[in-house]
Amino acid sequence: MITASLTQDKIYKDGKPSLQLLMETEVSKEIRILMRKGNVMKEHKAPYPIVVEIFEGEIEFGVHNEKHLLKKGDLLSLESNIPHDLVCTEDAIVRLSISKADTVDRVNKVLNN
C-alpha cells in the first residue's frame, strides 16, 4: 500500500508552477502540480496518455485551439502527443497521472519553460 496527500506540505513557487511526485505505482506516476492564478504551462505534448484532475481551484486547458475551463472536481483524459497548454485562473492543486514509462523530469522541464 502507498499513501500520499494532495493537501499536505504544499510549497508554491513564485512565478511558476511547482510539482511533487506523490507516488509511483506499477502502472502510473501521480504528480501534484501547485499553480497560482496567472501561472502558465506553455504548449507541450506528453508521450503517453495523461489524466488531469482539478483538486482545488480552476484552470483553462487549451487543446485543438479550444479553451476548456476546468474547475474543482473536474477530470480529463488526453491521448498521447496532443499539444496542450494550461493557464491557472484561480489558485489550483492539479493532480497529473502519467504513465510509469514517462518521466517526472519531462514534466518539470515543461514547468520551467
Side-chain angles (χ1 to χ4, degrees), residues 25-36:
T25 71
E26 290 183 21
V27 296
S28 71
K29 293 176 183 162
E30 304 300 326
I31 297 170
R32 175 180 66 189
I33 301 174
L34 302 174
M35 300 181 79
R36 292 278 190 206

Side-chain angles (χ1 to χ4, degrees), residues 68-108:
H68 304 272
L69 187 62
L70 302 177
K71 298 179 180 184
K72 180 178 180 175
D74 289 345
L75 291 165
L76 74 79
S77 67
L78 191 65
E79 300 83 17
S80 61
N81 297 308
I82 304 293
H84 57 282
D85 62 87
L86 287 79
V87 176
C88 185
T89 55
E90 183 181 307
D91 289 0
I93 298 174
V94 179
R95 177 180 162 200
L96 172 64
S97 300
I98 63 174
S99 168
K100 173 98 169 168
D102 203 348
T103 67
V104 174
D105 187 52
R106 179 197 63 79
V107 179
N108 209 15

Side-chain angles (χ1 to χ4, degrees), residues 14-31:
D14 288 333
K16 62 182 176 181
S18 64
L19 75 78
Q20 178 183 6
L21 175 64
L22 294 176
M23 68 173 56
E24 188 169 336
T25 71
E26 290 183 21
V27 296
S28 71
K29 293 176 183 162
E30 304 300 326
I31 297 170

